[in-house]
Amino acid sequence: MFRLIHTGKFDAVYYDKNRGILSSDYTFSGGFIRNVQSAHDLTISKTVSGNMGDKTKAFAFTIALSDASGTPYTGALAYTKTDAEGEETAGTLTFAGGSGRVSLAHGETITLSDLSGGLDYTVTEEDCTGDAYRVTCAVDGASPQETLTVSGT
């Protein structure tokens, strides 16, 4: 099973019906306030269960990112990888043509930090069902679903 969690940072956007969107320090008398997600973290963790599951095996994941118009993200993003003992390692994941690859073993987690708001993601675990593994995924604490791929914003 792999677990996908995304958390966000929100900026308050103030809208005045006569002036449009304004900065967060503006005082106004009419309109509304809307929270807009400006950045979020994407966390992927791996759990191997069952008596025959190899807890030392590294499982490959492809992470694809694109903007709302479908343009693939190209660049590098900071990450923190945590091993099964809780030791953290910082690094950079390079996205070429919109995708990057990571490997996770049992108990490991990787968090991509400060993804721009509006980026769409697709996380795919490499198919290991030929090795008699059954892959499930739980997104944001929901019940696990049998799937290799999950997507979201």
Side-chain angles (χ1 to χ4, degrees):
M1 179 177 86
F2 69 100
R3 185 173 308 279
L4 187 68
I5 300 170
H6 69 282
T7 56
K9 297 177 184 174
F10 293 87
D11 290 336
V13 175
Y14 301 90
Y15 181 78
D16 184 302
K17 61 187 171 189
N18 297 318
R19 298 185 194 169
I21 295 175
L22 305 168
S23 70
S24 60
D25 60 357
Y26 177 74
T27 303
F28 64 98
S29 59
F32 63 89
I33 299 172
R34 182 177 70 139
N35 283 330
V36 177
Q37 191 168 6
S38 62
H40 62 273
D41 296 344
L42 182 64
T43 301
I44 305 165
S45 60
K46 181 66 184 174
T47 302
V48 176
S49 60
N51 294 333
M52 299 301 290
D54 183 354
K55 294 187 177 183
T56 63
K57 177 182 170 92
F59 295 84
F61 293 84
T62 300
I63 304 166
L65 300 174
S66 61
D67 65 18
S69 68
T71 303
Y73 175 83
T74 301
L77 291 172
Y79 70 79
T80 303
K81 186 173 183 179
T82 307
D83 67 19
E85 288 76 40
E87 295 292 322
E88 292 185 349
T89 305
T92 304
L93 180 61
T94 301
F95 286 79
S99 64
R101 288 179 52 88
V102 298
S103 293
L104 297 172
H106 172 74
E108 292 184 329
T109 298
I110 189 165
T111 299
L112 299 174
S113 301
D114 294 329
L115 277 70
S116 298
L119 275 181
D120 295 328
Y121 64 83
T122 300
V123 178
T124 304
E125 183 172 4
E126 185 176 286
D127 189 357
C128 57
T129 55
D131 295 334
Y133 285 95
R134 191 185 93 183
V135 178
T136 61
C137 176
V139 179
D140 289 334
S143 297
Q145 303 295 316
E146 216 168 308
T147 184
L148 293 170
T149 301
V150 293
S151 298
T153 298

